Coordinates of all heavy atoms in Angstrom, one line a residue:
H1 N -1.9 -5.9 2.2 CA -1.7 -5.6 0.8 C -3.0 -5.3 0.1 O -3.0 -4.7 -1.0 CB -0.9 -6.7 0.1 CG -1.7 -7.9 -0.2 ND1 -1.9 -8.9 0.7 CD2 -2.4 -8.3 -1.3 CE1 -2.7 -9.9 0.2 NE2 -3.0 -9.5 -1.1
V2 N -4.1 -5.6 0.7 CA -5.4 -5.4 0.0 C -5.6 -3.9 -0.2 O -6.1 -3.5 -1.3 CB -6.6 -6.0 0.8 CG1 -7.9 -5.6 0.2 CG2 -6.4 -7.5 0.9
G3 N -5.3 -3.1 0.7 CA -5.5 -1.6 0.6 C -4.7 -1.1 -0.6 O -5.2 -0.3 -1.4
A4 N -3.4 -1.5 -0.7 CA -2.5 -1.0 -1.8 C -3.0 -1.6 -3.1 O -3.0 -0.9 -4.1 CB -1.1 -1.5 -1.5
A5 N -3.5 -2.8 -3.1 CA -4.0 -3.4 -4.3 C -5.2 -2.7 -4.8 O -5.4 -2.4 -6.0 CB -4.3 -4.9 -4.1
D6 N -6.1 -2.4 -3.9 CA -7.3 -1.6 -4.2 C -7.0 -0.3 -4.8 O -7.6 0.2 -5.8 CB -8.2 -1.4 -3.0 CG -8.9 -2.7 -2.6 OD1 -9.0 -3.6 -3.4 OD2 -9.4 -2.7 -1.4
H7 N -6.0 0.4 -4.2 CA -5.5 1.7 -4.8 C -5.0 1.6 -6.2 O -5.2 2.4 -7.0 CB -4.5 2.4 -3.9 CG -5.1 2.8 -2.6 ND1 -6.0 3.8 -2.5 CD2 -4.8 2.5 -1.3 CE1 -6.4 4.0 -1.2 NE2 -5.6 3.3 -0.5
A8 N -4.2 0.5 -6.4 CA -3.6 0.3 -7.7 C -4.7 0.0 -8.8 O -4.7 0.6 -9.9 CB -2.7 -0.9 -7.7
V9 N -5.7 -0.8 -8.4 CA -6.8 -1.0 -9.3 C -7.6 0.2 -9.6 O -8.0 0.5 -10.7 CB -7.7 -2.2 -8.8 CG1 -9.0 -2.3 -9.6 CG2 -7.0 -3.5 -8.7
Q10 N -7.9 1.0 -8.5 CA -8.6 2.3 -8.7 C -7.8 3.3 -9.6 O -8.4 3.9 -10.4 CB -8.9 2.9 -7.4 CG -9.9 2.1 -6.5 CD -10.0 2.6 -5.1 OE1 -9.4 3.6 -4.7 NE2 -10.8 1.9 -4.3
A11 N -6.5 3.3 -9.4 CA -5.7 4.2 -10.3 C -5.8 3.8 -11.7 O -5.9 4.6 -12.6 CB -4.3 4.2 -9.8
A12 N -5.7 2.5 -12.0 CA -5.8 2.0 -13.3 C -7.1 2.3 -13.9 O -7.3 2.6 -15.1 CB -5.5 0.5 -13.4
E13 N -8.2 2.1 -13.1 CA -9.5 2.4 -13.6 C -9.7 3.9 -13.9 O -10.3 4.2 -15.0 CB -10.6 2.0 -12.6 CG -12.0 2.1 -13.0 CD -12.3 1.3 -14.2 OE1 -11.8 0.1 -14.4 OE2 -13.1 1.8 -15.1
R14 N -9.1 4.8 -13.1 CA -9.2 6.2 -13.4 C -8.5 6.5 -14.7 O -9.0 7.3 -15.5 CB -8.6 7.0 -12.3 CG -9.5 7.2 -11.1 CD -9.0 8.2 -10.1 NE -7.6 8.0 -9.7 CZ -7.2 7.2 -8.6 NH1 -8.2 6.6 -7.9 NH2 -6.0 7.1 -8.3
M15 N -7.3 5.9 -14.9 CA -6.6 6.2 -16.2 C -7.4 5.6 -17.4 O -7.5 6.3 -18.4 CB -5.2 5.5 -16.1 CG -4.2 6.2 -15.2 SD -2.6 5.5 -15.2 CE -2.8 4.0 -14.4
R16 N -8.0 4.5 -17.2 CA -8.7 3.9 -18.3 C -9.9 4.8 -18.7 O -10.1 5.0 -19.9 CB -9.3 2.5 -17.9 CG -10.0 1.7 -19.1 CD -10.8 0.6 -18.6 NE -11.9 1.1 -17.7 CZ -13.0 1.7 -18.2 NH1 -13.2 2.0 -19.5 NH2 -14.0 2.1 -17.4
R17 N -10.6 5.3 -17.7 CA -11.7 6.2 -18.0 C -11.3 7.5 -18.7 O -11.9 7.9 -19.6 CB -12.5 6.5 -16.7 CG -13.4 5.4 -16.3 CD -14.4 5.9 -15.2 NE -13.8 6.5 -14.1 CZ -13.5 5.8 -12.9 NH1 -13.8 4.6 -12.8 NH2 -12.9 6.4 -11.9
R18 N -10.2 8.1 -18.2 CA -9.7 9.3 -18.8 C -9.3 9.1 -20.2 O -9.5 9.9 -21.1 CB -8.6 9.9 -18.0 CG -9.1 10.5 -16.7 CD -8.3 11.6 -16.3 NE -8.9 12.2 -15.1 CZ -8.3 13.0 -14.3 NH1 -7.1 13.4 -14.6 NH2 -8.9 13.5 -13.2
I19 N -8.6 8.0 -20.5 CA -8.2 7.7 -21.8 C -9.4 7.5 -22.7 O -9.4 8.0 -23.8 CB -7.3 6.5 -21.9 CG1 -5.9 6.8 -21.2 CG2 -7.1 5.9 -23.3 CD1 -5.1 5.6 -20.9
A20 N -10.4 6.8 -22.2 CA -11.7 6.6 -23.0 C -12.4 7.9 -23.3 O -13.1 8.0 -24.3 CB -12.6 5.6 -22.3
Q21 N -12.2 8.9 -22.4 CA -12.9 10.2 -22.7 C -12.1 11.1 -23.6 O -12.7 12.1 -24.2 CB -13.0 11.0 -21.3 CG -14.0 10.3 -20.4 CD -13.9 10.9 -19.0 OE1 -13.1 11.7 -18.7 NE2 -14.9 10.5 -18.1
A22 N -10.9 10.8 -23.9 CA -10.1 11.6 -24.8 C -10.5 11.5 -26.2 O -11.0 10.4 -26.6 CB -8.6 11.2 -24.6
R23 N -10.3 12.5 -26.9 CA -10.6 12.5 -28.4 C -9.4 13.0 -29.1 O -8.8 14.0 -28.7 CB -11.8 13.5 -28.7 CG -13.1 13.1 -28.0 CD -13.6 11.8 -28.5 NE -14.8 11.3 -27.8 CZ -14.9 10.5 -26.8 NH1 -13.7 9.9 -26.4 NH2 -16.0 10.1 -26.3
V24 N -9.0 12.3 -30.1 CA -7.8 12.7 -30.9 C -8.2 13.1 -32.3 O -9.0 12.3 -32.9 CB -6.8 11.5 -31.0 CG1 -5.6 11.8 -31.8 CG2 -6.4 11.1 -29.6
T25 N -7.8 14.3 -32.7 CA -8.2 14.7 -34.0 C -7.0 14.6 -35.0 O -5.9 15.1 -34.7 CB -8.6 16.2 -34.0 OG1 -9.7 16.3 -33.0 CG2 -9.1 16.7 -35.3
A26 N -7.2 13.9 -36.1 CA -6.2 13.7 -37.1 C -6.1 15.0 -37.9 O -6.9 15.9 -37.9 CB -6.5 12.5 -38.0
Q27 N -5.0 15.1 -38.7 CA -4.8 16.2 -39.6 C -6.0 16.4 -40.5 O -6.3 17.6 -40.9 CB -3.5 16.1 -40.4 CG -2.3 16.3 -39.5 CD -1.0 16.2 -40.4 OE1 -1.0 15.5 -41.4 NE2 0.0 16.9 -39.9
D28 N -6.6 15.4 -41.0 CA -7.8 15.5 -41.9 C -9.1 15.8 -41.2 O -10.1 15.9 -41.8 CB -7.9 14.2 -42.7 CG -8.3 13.0 -41.9 OD1 -8.5 13.1 -40.7 OD2 -8.5 11.9 -42.5
G29 N -9.0 16.0 -39.9 CA -10.2 16.3 -39.1 C -11.0 15.2 -38.5 O -11.9 15.3 -37.7
A30 N -10.6 13.9 -38.9 CA -11.2 12.7 -38.3 C -10.9 12.7 -36.8 O -9.8 13.0 -36.4 CB -10.7 11.5 -39.0
V31 N -12.0 12.3 -36.1 CA -11.8 12.2 -34.6 C -11.8 10.8 -34.2 O -12.7 10.0 -34.6 CB -13.0 13.0 -33.9 CG1 -12.9 12.9 -32.4 CG2 -13.0 14.5 -34.3
F32 N -10.9 10.4 -33.4 CA -10.7 9.1 -32.9 C -10.9 9.0 -31.4 O -10.6 10.0 -30.7 CB -9.3 8.5 -33.2 CG -9.1 8.4 -34.7 CD1 -8.5 9.5 -35.4 CD2 -9.4 7.3 -35.4 CE1 -8.3 9.4 -36.7 CE2 -9.2 7.2 -36.8 CZ -8.6 8.3 -37.4
T33 N -11.4 7.9 -30.9 CA -11.4 7.6 -29.5 C -10.4 6.6 -29.1 O -9.9 5.9 -30.0 CB -12.8 7.1 -29.0 OG1 -13.1 6.0 -29.7 CG2 -13.9 8.2 -29.2
L34 N -10.0 6.5 -27.9 CA -8.9 5.6 -27.5 C -9.5 4.7 -26.4 O -10.4 5.1 -25.7 CB -7.7 6.4 -26.9 CG -7.1 7.4 -27.8 CD1 -6.1 8.2 -27.0 CD2 -6.5 6.8 -29.0
T35 N -8.9 3.5 -26.3 CA -9.2 2.6 -25.2 C -7.9 2.1 -24.6 O -6.8 2.2 -25.3 CB -10.0 1.4 -25.7 OG1 -9.3 0.6 -26.6 CG2 -11.4 1.8 -26.3
A36 N -8.0 1.6 -23.4 CA -6.8 1.1 -22.7 C -7.2 -0.1 -21.9 O -8.3 -0.1 -21.3 CB -6.1 2.1 -21.9
S37 N -6.4 -1.1 -21.8 CA -6.6 -2.2 -20.9 C -5.4 -2.3 -20.0 O -4.3 -2.0 -20.3 CB -6.8 -3.5 -21.7 OG -7.9 -3.5 -22.5
F38 N -5.7 -2.7 -18.7 CA -4.7 -2.8 -17.7 C -4.8 -4.2 -17.0 O -5.9 -4.6 -16.7 CB -4.8 -1.8 -16.7 CG -4.6 -0.4 -17.2 CD1 -5.7 0.3 -17.7 CD2 -3.4 0.3 -17.1 CE1 -5.5 1.6 -18.2 CE2 -3.2 1.6 -17.5 CZ -4.3 2.2 -18.1
G39 N -3.6 -4.8 -16.8 CA -3.5 -6.0 -15.9 C -2.8 -5.5 -14.7 O -1.7 -5.0 -14.7
V40 N -3.5 -5.6 -13.5 CA -2.9 -5.1 -12.3 C -2.7 -6.3 -11.4 O -3.6 -6.9 -10.8 CB -3.9 -4.1 -11.5 CG1 -3.3 -3.6 -10.2 CG2 -4.2 -2.9 -12.4
A41 N -1.4 -6.7 -11.2 CA -1.0 -7.8 -10.4 C -0.5 -7.3 -9.0 O 0.1 -6.2 -9.0 CB 0.1 -8.6 -11.1
Y42 N -0.8 -8.0 -8.0 CA -0.3 -7.6 -6.7 C 0.1 -8.9 -5.9 O -0.4 -10.0 -6.2 CB -1.4 -6.8 -5.9 CG -2.7 -7.4 -5.9 CD1 -3.1 -8.3 -4.9 CD2 -3.6 -7.1 -6.9 CE1 -4.4 -8.9 -4.9 CE2 -4.9 -7.7 -6.9 CZ -5.3 -8.6 -5.9 OH -6.5 -9.1 -5.9
A43 N 1.0 -8.7 -5.0 CA 1.6 -9.8 -4.2 C 1.6 -9.4 -2.7 O 1.7 -8.3 -2.4 CB 3.0 -10.1 -4.7
S44 N 1.4 -10.4 -1.9 CA 1.6 -10.2 -0.5 C 3.1 -10.1 -0.2 O 3.9 -10.5 -1.0 CB 0.9 -11.4 0.3 OG 1.7 -12.6 0.0
W45 N 3.4 -9.7 1.0 CA 4.8 -9.5 1.4 C 5.5 -10.8 1.3 O 6.7 -10.9 0.9 CB 4.9 -8.9 2.8 CG 4.7 -7.5 2.8 CD1 3.7 -6.8 3.4 CD2 5.6 -6.5 2.2 NE1 3.8 -5.4 3.1 CE2 5.0 -5.2 2.4 CE3 6.8 -6.5 1.5 CZ2 5.6 -4.0 2.0 CZ3 7.4 -5.3 1.1 CH2 6.7 -4.1 1.3
R46 N 4.9 -11.9 1.6 CA 5.5 -13.2 1.5 C 6.0 -13.6 0.1 O 6.8 -14.4 -0.1 CB 4.7 -14.3 2.2 CG 3.5 -14.7 1.3 CD 2.7 -15.8 2.0 NE 1.6 -16.3 1.2 CZ 0.4 -15.6 1.0 NH1 0.2 -14.5 1.6 NH2 -0.5 -16.1 0.2
N47 N 5.3 -13.0 -0.9 CA 5.7 -13.3 -2.3 C 6.3 -12.1 -3.0 O 6.6 -12.1 -4.2 CB 4.4 -13.6 -3.1 CG 3.7 -14.9 -2.6 OD1 4.4 -15.8 -2.2 ND2 2.4 -15.0 -2.7
A48 N 6.7 -11.1 -2.2 CA 7.2 -9.9 -2.8 C 8.6 -10.0 -3.5 O 8.9 -9.3 -4.4 CB 7.3 -8.8 -1.7
E49 N 9.3 -11.0 -3.1 CA 10.7 -11.2 -3.7 C 10.6 -11.7 -5.1 O 11.6 -11.7 -5.8 CB 11.6 -12.0 -2.8 CG 11.2 -13.5 -2.8 CD 10.0 -13.9 -1.9 OE1 9.6 -13.0 -1.1 OE2 9.6 -15.0 -1.9
A50 N 9.5 -12.2 -5.5 CA 9.3 -12.9 -6.8 C 8.8 -11.9 -7.9 O 7.7 -12.0 -8.4 CB 8.4 -14.1 -6.7
A51 N 9.7 -10.9 -8.2 CA 9.3 -9.8 -9.2 C 9.0 -10.4 -10.5 O 8.0 -10.0 -11.2 CB 10.4 -8.8 -9.3
D52 N 9.7 -11.4 -11.0 CA 9.4 -12.0 -12.3 C 8.0 -12.6 -12.3 O 7.3 -12.5 -13.3 CB 10.5 -13.1 -12.6 CG 10.6 -14.2 -11.6 OD1 10.3 -14.0 -10.4 OD2 11.0 -15.3 -12.1
A53 N 7.6 -13.2 -11.2 CA 6.2 -13.8 -11.2 C 5.2 -12.7 -11.2 O 4.1 -12.8 -11.8 CB 6.0 -14.6 -9.9
L54 N 5.5 -11.6 -10.6 CA 4.6 -10.4 -10.5 C 4.4 -9.8 -11.9 O 3.3 -9.6 -12.4 CB 5.1 -9.3 -9.6 CG 4.2 -8.1 -9.4 CD1 3.0 -8.5 -8.7 CD2 5.0 -7.0 -8.6
F55 N 5.5 -9.7 -12.7 CA 5.4 -9.2 -14.0 C 4.7 -10.1 -15.0 O 4.0 -9.7 -15.8 CB 6.8 -8.8 -14.6 CG 7.5 -7.7 -13.9 CD1 8.7 -7.8 -13.3 CD2 6.8 -6.5 -13.7 CE1 9.3 -6.7 -12.7 CE2 7.4 -5.4 -13.0 CZ 8.6 -5.5 -12.5
R56 N 5.0 -11.4 -14.8 CA 4.4 -12.4 -15.6 C 2.8 -12.4 -15.4 O 2.1 -12.5 -16.3 CB 5.0 -13.8 -15.3 CG 4.6 -14.9 -16.3 CD 5.4 -16.2 -16.1 NE 5.8 -16.5 -14.8 CZ 7.0 -16.4 -14.2 NH1 8.0 -15.9 -14.9 NH2 7.2 -16.8 -13.0
R57 N 2.4 -12.3 -14.1 CA 1.0 -12.3 -13.8 C 0.3 -11.0 -14.3 O -0.8 -11.1 -14.9 CB 0.8 -12.3 -12.2 CG -0.6 -12.3 -11.8 CD -1.3 -13.6 -12.2 NE -2.6 -13.6 -11.5 CZ -3.7 -14.1 -12.1 NH1 -3.6 -14.6 -13.3 NH2 -4.8 -14.0 -11.5
A58 N 1.0 -9.9 -14.3 CA 0.5 -8.6 -14.8 C 0.3 -8.8 -16.3 O -0.8 -8.4 -16.9 CB 1.4 -7.5 -14.5
D59 N 1.2 -9.4 -17.0 CA 1.1 -9.7 -18.4 C -0.1 -10.6 -18.7 O -0.8 -10.4 -19.7 CB 2.4 -10.3 -19.0 CG 2.4 -10.3 -20.5 OD1 2.2 -9.3 -21.1 OD2 2.7 -11.4 -21.0
E60 N -0.3 -11.6 -17.9 CA -1.4 -12.6 -18.1 C -2.7 -11.8 -18.0 O -3.7 -12.0 -18.7 CB -1.4 -13.7 -17.1 CG -0.2 -14.7 -17.3 CD 0.0 -15.6 -16.1 OE1 -0.7 -15.5 -15.1 OE2 0.9 -16.5 -16.2
L61 N -2.8 -11.0 -16.9 CA -4.0 -10.2 -16.7 C -4.3 -9.2 -17.8 O -5.5 -9.0 -18.2 CB -3.9 -9.5 -15.3 CG -3.8 -10.4 -14.1 CD1 -3.4 -9.7 -12.9 CD2 -5.2 -11.2 -13.9
L62 N -3.3 -8.6 -18.3 CA -3.4 -7.7 -19.4 C -4.0 -8.4 -20.7 O -4.9 -8.0 -21.3 CB -2.1 -7.0 -19.8 CG -2.1 -6.1 -21.1 CD1 -3.1 -5.0 -21.0 CD2 -0.7 -5.6 -21.3
Y63 N -3.4 -9.6 -20.9 CA -3.9 -10.4 -22.0 C -5.4 -10.8 -21.8 O -6.2 -10.7 -22.7 CB -3.1 -11.7 -22.2 CG -3.4 -12.5 -23.3 CD1 -3.1 -12.2 -24.6 CD2 -4.2 -13.7 -23.1 CE1 -3.5 -13.0 -25.7 CE2 -4.6 -14.5 -24.2 CZ -4.2 -14.1 -25.5 OH -4.6 -14.9 -26.6
R64 N -5.7 -11.1 -20.6 CA -7.1 -11.5 -20.3 C -8.0 -10.3 -20.5 O -9.1 -10.4 -21.1 CB -7.3 -12.0 -18.9 CG -8.8 -12.4 -18.6 CD -9.1 -12.8 -17.2 NE -8.1 -13.8 -16.7 CZ -7.9 -14.0 -15.4 NH1 -8.6 -13.4 -14.5 NH2 -7.1 -14.9 -15.0
A65 N -7.6 -9.1 -20.1 CA -8.4 -7.9 -20.3 C -8.6 -7.6 -21.8 O -9.7 -7.3 -22.2 CB -7.6 -6.6 -19.7
K66 N -7.6 -7.8 -22.6 CA -7.8 -7.6 -24.0 C -8.7 -8.7 -24.6 O -9.6 -8.4 -25.5 CB -6.4 -7.7 -24.7 CG -5.5 -6.5 -24.4 CD -4.2 -6.7 -25.1 CE -3.3 -5.5 -24.9 NZ -2.1 -5.6 -25.6
M67 N -8.6 -9.9 -24.2 CA -9.4 -11.0 -24.7 C -10.9 -10.9 -24.3 O -11.8 -11.3 -25.0 CB -8.9 -12.4 -24.3 CG -7.5 -12.7 -24.9 SD -7.4 -12.5 -26.7 CE -8.5 -13.7 -27.3
D68 N -11.1 -10.2 -23.1 CA -12.4 -10.1 -22.6 C -13.2 -8.9 -23.2 O -14.2 -8.5 -22.7 CB -12.4 -10.0 -21.1 CG -12.1 -11.3 -20.4 OD1 -12.2 -12.3 -21.1 OD2 -11.9 -11.3 -19.2
G69 N -12.6 -8.2 -24.2 CA -13.3 -7.1 -24.8 C -12.6 -5.8 -24.8 O -13.1 -4.8 -25.2
K70 N -11.4 -5.8 -24.3 CA -10.6 -4.5 -24.2 C -11.2 -3.5 -23.3 O -12.3 -3.7 -22.8 CB -10.3 -4.0 -25.6 CG -9.5 -5.0 -26.5 CD -9.3 -4.4 -27.8 CE -8.6 -5.4 -28.7 NZ -8.3 -4.9 -30.1
N71 N -10.5 -2.4 -23.2 CA -11.0 -1.2 -22.4 C -11.5 -1.6 -21.0 O -12.6 -1.3 -20.6 CB -12.1 -0.5 -23.2 CG -12.3 0.9 -22.7 OD1 -11.3 1.6 -22.2 ND2 -13.5 1.4 -22.7
R72 N -10.6 -2.3 -20.3 CA -11.0 -2.8 -19.0 C -9.8 -3.0 -18.1 O -8.7 -3.0 -18.6 CB -11.8 -4.1 -19.0 CG -11.1 -5.3 -19.6 CD -12.0 -6.5 -19.8 NE -13.0 -6.2 -20.8 CZ -14.3 -6.3 -20.6 NH1 -14.7 -6.8 -19.4 NH2 -15.2 -6.0 -21.5
V73 N -10.0 -3.1 -16.8 CA -9.0 -3.4 -15.8 C -9.3 -4.8 -15.2 O -10.4 -5.0 -14.8 CB -9.0 -2.3 -14.7 CG1 -8.1 -2.7 -13.6 CG2 -8.8 -0.9 -15.2
V74 N -8.3 -5.6 -15.2 CA -8.4 -7.0 -14.7 C -7.3 -7.1 -13.6 O -6.1 -7.2 -13.9 CB -8.2 -8.1 -15.8 CG1 -8.3 -9.4 -15.1 CG2 -9.3 -7.9 -16.8
P75 N -7.8 -7.2 -12.3 CA -6.8 -7.4 -11.2 C -6.6 -8.8 -10.9 O -7.5 -9.7 -11.2 CB -7.5 -6.6 -10.1 CG -9.0 -6.8 -10.3 CD -9.1 -6.8 -11.9
G76 N -5.5 -9.1 -10.2 CA -5.3 -10.5 -9.8 C -4.1 -10.6 -8.9 O -3.1 -9.8 -9.0
E77 N -4.1 -11.5 -8.0 CA -3.0 -11.7 -7.0 C -2.0 -12.7 -7.6 O -2.3 -13.6 -8.4 CB -3.6 -12.2 -5.7 CG -2.6 -12.3 -4.6 CD -3.2 -12.6 -3.3 OE1 -4.4 -12.8 -3.2 OE2 -2.4 -12.6 -2.3
V78 N -0.8 -12.6 -7.1 CA 0.3 -13.5 -7.4 C 0.4 -14.5 -6.3 O 0.4 -14.2 -5.1 CB 1.7 -12.8 -7.6 CG1 2.8 -13.8 -7.8 CG2 1.6 -11.8 -8.7
G79 N 0.5 -15.8 -6.7 CA 0.6 -16.8 -5.7 C -0.5 -17.3 -5.0 O -1.4 -17.3 -4.5

């Protein structure tokens, strides 16, 4: 599962960087930047049947990413 988890973390990091590079222009001409935080949870096959635990862990990781300063990816394993 490590390979798949690494790919998931890398994908989240690529999305985070692209979002951070985006510029949004409001109708009045003001330009805004965006940030994104991701919690990436992964489970081994022995824990794969516990989807609720996986979603709960992803939510915890997302909260940690936001509390640690936002605009980051925080990975973690379930179980």
Side-chain angles (χ1 to χ4, degrees):
H1 74 278
V2 173
D6 288 341
H7 289 300
V9 171
Q10 291 169 6
E13 185 60 37
R14 282 192 306 273
M15 288 186 287
R16 187 199 62 75
R17 281 195 305 264
R18 288 214 176 162
I19 291 167
Q21 292 170 351
R23 301 295 176 259
V24 178
T25 304
Q27 286 182 334
D28 66 0
V31 179
F32 298 90
T33 58
L34 305 171
T35 63
S37 296
F38 295 85
V40 180
Y42 48 91
S44 65
W45 280 112
R46 71 181 184 283
N47 294 329
E49 71 279 352
D52 58 331
L54 185 67
F55 293 128
R56 193 170 35 257
R57 180 68 172 143
D59 190 51
E60 291 167 358
L61 295 167
L62 174 59
Y63 183 75
R64 184 183 311 159
K66 290 179 177 182
M67 296 307 295
D68 287 349
K70 301 181 182 177
N71 199 31
R72 63 187 63 235
V73 175
V74 177
E77 188 170 3
V78 174

